[in-house]
PDB file of all heavy atoms in Angstrom:
ATOM      1  N   PHE B 223      36.568  16.705   0.343  1.00 96.00           N
ATOM      2  CA  PHE B 223      36.202  15.286   0.228  1.00 96.00           C
ATOM      3  C   PHE B 223      35.310  14.890   1.407  1.00 96.00           C
ATOM      4  O   PHE B 223      35.440  15.419   2.509  1.00 96.00           O
ATOM      5  CB  PHE B 223      37.454  14.402   0.216  1.00 96.00           C
ATOM      6  CG  PHE B 223      38.242  14.480  -1.075  1.00 96.00           C
ATOM      7  CD1 PHE B 223      38.578  15.704  -1.642  1.00 96.00           C
ATOM      8  CD2 PHE B 223      38.674  13.319  -1.706  1.00 96.00           C
ATOM      9  CE1 PHE B 223      39.313  15.775  -2.820  1.00 96.00           C
ATOM     10  CE2 PHE B 223      39.408  13.380  -2.886  1.00 96.00           C
ATOM     11  CZ  PHE B 223      39.728  14.592  -3.451  1.00 96.00           C
ATOM     12  N   LYS B 224      34.400  13.976   1.153  1.00 96.00           N
ATOM     13  CA  LYS B 224      33.479  13.520   2.197  1.00 96.00           C
ATOM     14  C   LYS B 224      33.335  11.999   2.133  1.00 96.00           C
ATOM     15  O   LYS B 224      33.476  11.396   1.069  1.00 96.00           O
ATOM     16  CB  LYS B 224      32.088  14.143   1.988  1.00 96.00           C
ATOM     17  CG  LYS B 224      32.046  15.655   2.135  1.00 96.00           C
ATOM     18  CD  LYS B 224      32.231  16.065   3.581  1.00 96.00           C
ATOM     19  CE  LYS B 224      32.375  17.569   3.711  1.00 96.00           C
ATOM     20  NZ  LYS B 224      32.980  17.953   4.987  1.00 96.00           N
ATOM     21  N   GLY B 225      33.022  11.420   3.284  1.00 95.00           N
ATOM     22  CA  GLY B 225      32.763   9.980   3.329  1.00 95.00           C
ATOM     23  C   GLY B 225      31.263   9.738   3.435  1.00 95.00           C
ATOM     24  O   GLY B 225      30.651  10.151   4.409  1.00 95.00           O
ATOM     25  N   ALA B 226      30.689   9.097   2.431  1.00 97.00           N
ATOM     26  CA  ALA B 226      29.232   8.869   2.445  1.00 97.00           C
ATOM     27  C   ALA B 226      28.921   7.452   2.922  1.00 97.00           C
ATOM     28  O   ALA B 226      29.530   6.487   2.468  1.00 97.00           O
ATOM     29  CB  ALA B 226      28.656   9.095   1.054  1.00 97.00           C
ATOM     30  N   LEU B 227      27.971   7.373   3.867  1.00 97.00           N
ATOM     31  CA  LEU B 227      27.460   6.069   4.297  1.00 97.00           C
ATOM     32  C   LEU B 227      26.039   5.955   3.755  1.00 97.00           C
ATOM     33  O   LEU B 227      25.168   6.729   4.136  1.00 97.00           O
ATOM     34  CB  LEU B 227      27.439   5.980   5.824  1.00 97.00           C
ATOM     35  CG  LEU B 227      28.755   6.270   6.543  1.00 97.00           C
ATOM     36  CD1 LEU B 227      28.552   6.254   8.049  1.00 97.00           C
ATOM     37  CD2 LEU B 227      29.818   5.251   6.142  1.00 97.00           C
ATOM     38  N   SER B 228      25.842   5.015   2.848  1.00 98.00           N
ATOM     39  CA  SER B 228      24.540   4.918   2.184  1.00 98.00           C
ATOM     40  C   SER B 228      23.722   3.804   2.806  1.00 98.00           C
ATOM     41  O   SER B 228      24.238   2.706   3.047  1.00 98.00           O
ATOM     42  CB  SER B 228      24.724   4.629   0.693  1.00 98.00           C
ATOM     43  OG  SER B 228      25.616   5.567   0.136  1.00 98.00           O
ATOM     44  N   PHE B 229      22.453   4.097   3.049  1.00 98.00           N
ATOM     45  CA  PHE B 229      21.525   3.080   3.561  1.00 98.00           C
ATOM     46  C   PHE B 229      20.526   2.761   2.457  1.00 98.00           C
ATOM     47  O   PHE B 229      19.762   3.612   2.010  1.00 98.00           O
ATOM     48  CB  PHE B 229      20.841   3.581   4.835  1.00 98.00           C
ATOM     49  CG  PHE B 229      21.767   3.492   6.020  1.00 98.00           C
ATOM     50  CD1 PHE B 229      22.798   4.405   6.185  1.00 98.00           C
ATOM     51  CD2 PHE B 229      21.639   2.452   6.931  1.00 98.00           C
ATOM     52  CE1 PHE B 229      23.686   4.303   7.255  1.00 98.00           C
ATOM     53  CE2 PHE B 229      22.526   2.341   8.002  1.00 98.00           C
ATOM     54  CZ  PHE B 229      23.545   3.263   8.170  1.00 98.00           C
ATOM     55  N   ILE B 230      20.587   1.521   2.006  1.00 98.00           N
ATOM     56  CA  ILE B 230      19.769   1.090   0.876  1.00 98.00           C
ATOM     57  C   ILE B 230      18.600   0.286   1.411  1.00 98.00           C
ATOM     58  O   ILE B 230      18.791  -0.751   2.056  1.00 98.00           O
ATOM     59  CB  ILE B 230      20.608   0.264  -0.129  1.00 98.00           C
ATOM     60  CG1 ILE B 230      21.609   1.186  -0.833  1.00 98.00           C
ATOM     61  CG2 ILE B 230      19.739  -0.386  -1.198  1.00 98.00           C
ATOM     62  CD1 ILE B 230      22.936   1.211  -0.237  1.00 98.00           C
ATOM     63  N   LYS B 231      17.423   0.781   1.141  1.00 98.00           N
ATOM     64  CA  LYS B 231      16.207   0.121   1.619  1.00 98.00           C
ATOM     65  C   LYS B 231      15.920  -1.086   0.732  1.00 98.00           C
ATOM     66  O   LYS B 231      16.079  -1.027  -0.479  1.00 98.00           O
ATOM     67  CB  LYS B 231      15.049   1.119   1.537  1.00 98.00           C
ATOM     68  CG  LYS B 231      14.017   0.935   2.610  1.00 98.00           C
ATOM     69  CD  LYS B 231      12.916   1.982   2.473  1.00 98.00           C
ATOM     70  CE  LYS B 231      11.834   1.725   3.497  1.00 98.00           C
ATOM     71  NZ  LYS B 231      12.236   2.053   4.861  1.00 98.00           N
ATOM     72  N   VAL B 232      15.498  -2.179   1.365  1.00 98.00           N
ATOM     73  CA  VAL B 232      15.170  -3.390   0.615  1.00 98.00           C
ATOM     74  C   VAL B 232      13.689  -3.690   0.845  1.00 98.00           C
ATOM     75  O   VAL B 232      13.249  -3.828   1.990  1.00 98.00           O
ATOM     76  CB  VAL B 232      16.023  -4.580   1.095  1.00 98.00           C
ATOM     77  CG1 VAL B 232      15.692  -5.835   0.300  1.00 98.00           C
ATOM     78  CG2 VAL B 232      17.507  -4.255   0.996  1.00 98.00           C
ATOM     79  N   ASP B 233      12.936  -3.772  -0.227  1.00 98.00           N
ATOM     80  CA  ASP B 233      11.511  -4.071  -0.096  1.00 98.00           C
ATOM     81  C   ASP B 233      11.325  -5.520   0.347  1.00 98.00           C
ATOM     82  O   ASP B 233      11.889  -6.440  -0.243  1.00 98.00           O
ATOM     83  CB  ASP B 233      10.804  -3.833  -1.437  1.00 98.00           C
ATOM     84  CG  ASP B 233       9.310  -4.037  -1.319  1.00 98.00           C
ATOM     85  OD1 ASP B 233       8.649  -3.103  -0.877  1.00 98.00           O
ATOM     86  OD2 ASP B 233       8.832  -5.147  -1.653  1.00 98.00           O
ATOM     87  N   LYS B 234      10.533  -5.690   1.403  1.00 95.00           N
ATOM     88  CA  LYS B 234      10.393  -7.016   2.024  1.00 95.00           C
ATOM     89  C   LYS B 234       9.879  -8.064   1.029  1.00 95.00           C
ATOM     90  O   LYS B 234      10.348  -9.196   1.011  1.00 95.00           O
ATOM     91  CB  LYS B 234       9.406  -6.897   3.200  1.00 95.00           C
ATOM     92  CG  LYS B 234       9.410  -8.067   4.134  1.00 95.00           C
ATOM     93  CD  LYS B 234      10.469  -7.922   5.229  1.00 95.00           C
ATOM     94  CE  LYS B 234      10.951  -9.268   5.715  1.00 95.00           C
ATOM     95  NZ  LYS B 234      12.392  -9.449   5.782  1.00 95.00           N
ATOM     96  N   ALA B 235       8.898  -7.686   0.219  1.00 96.00           N
ATOM     97  CA  ALA B 235       8.285  -8.668  -0.673  1.00 96.00           C
ATOM     98  C   ALA B 235       9.096  -8.853  -1.952  1.00 96.00           C
ATOM     99  O   ALA B 235       9.473  -9.972  -2.302  1.00 96.00           O
ATOM    100  CB  ALA B 235       6.868  -8.234  -1.000  1.00 96.00           C
ATOM    101  N   SER B 236       9.378  -7.751  -2.646  1.00 96.00           N
ATOM    102  CA  SER B 236      10.013  -7.873  -3.961  1.00 96.00           C
ATOM    103  C   SER B 236      11.527  -7.914  -3.869  1.00 96.00           C
ATOM    104  O   SER B 236      12.196  -8.395  -4.775  1.00 96.00           O
ATOM    105  CB  SER B 236       9.615  -6.683  -4.842  1.00 96.00           C
ATOM    106  OG  SER B 236      10.174  -5.490  -4.306  1.00 96.00           O
ATOM    107  N   GLY B 237      12.089  -7.415  -2.762  1.00 97.00           N
ATOM    108  CA  GLY B 237      13.538  -7.339  -2.644  1.00 97.00           C
ATOM    109  C   GLY B 237      14.115  -6.101  -3.305  1.00 97.00           C
ATOM    110  O   GLY B 237      15.323  -5.863  -3.226  1.00 97.00           O
ATOM    111  N   ASN B 238      13.297  -5.310  -3.963  1.00 97.00           N
ATOM    112  CA  ASN B 238      13.824  -4.159  -4.705  1.00 97.00           C
ATOM    113  C   ASN B 238      14.516  -3.142  -3.802  1.00 97.00           C
ATOM    114  O   ASN B 238      14.041  -2.824  -2.729  1.00 97.00           O
ATOM    115  CB  ASN B 238      12.704  -3.479  -5.500  1.00 97.00           C
ATOM    116  CG  ASN B 238      12.532  -4.125  -6.859  1.00 97.00           C
ATOM    117  OD1 ASN B 238      13.116  -5.203  -7.114  1.00 97.00           O
ATOM    118  ND2 ASN B 238      11.772  -3.514  -7.714  1.00 97.00           N
ATOM    119  N   MET B 239      15.653  -2.651  -4.287  1.00 98.00           N
ATOM    120  CA  MET B 239      16.505  -1.770  -3.493  1.00 98.00           C
ATOM    121  C   MET B 239      16.333  -0.316  -3.952  1.00 98.00           C
ATOM    122  O   MET B 239      16.129  -0.052  -5.136  1.00 98.00           O
ATOM    123  CB  MET B 239      17.970  -2.178  -3.660  1.00 98.00           C
ATOM    124  CG  MET B 239      18.268  -3.596  -3.182  1.00 98.00           C
ATOM    125  SD  MET B 239      20.032  -4.025  -3.278  1.00 98.00           S
ATOM    126  CE  MET B 239      20.228  -4.385  -5.006  1.00 98.00           C
TER     127      MET B 239
END
Side-chain angles (χ1 to χ4, degrees):
Chain B
F223 287 49
K224 295 289 172 199
L227 306 175
S228 308
F229 283 75
I230 290 95
K231 212 179 176 72
V232 181
D233 184 82
K234 194 87 208 131
S236 67
N238 273 11
M239 299 184 281

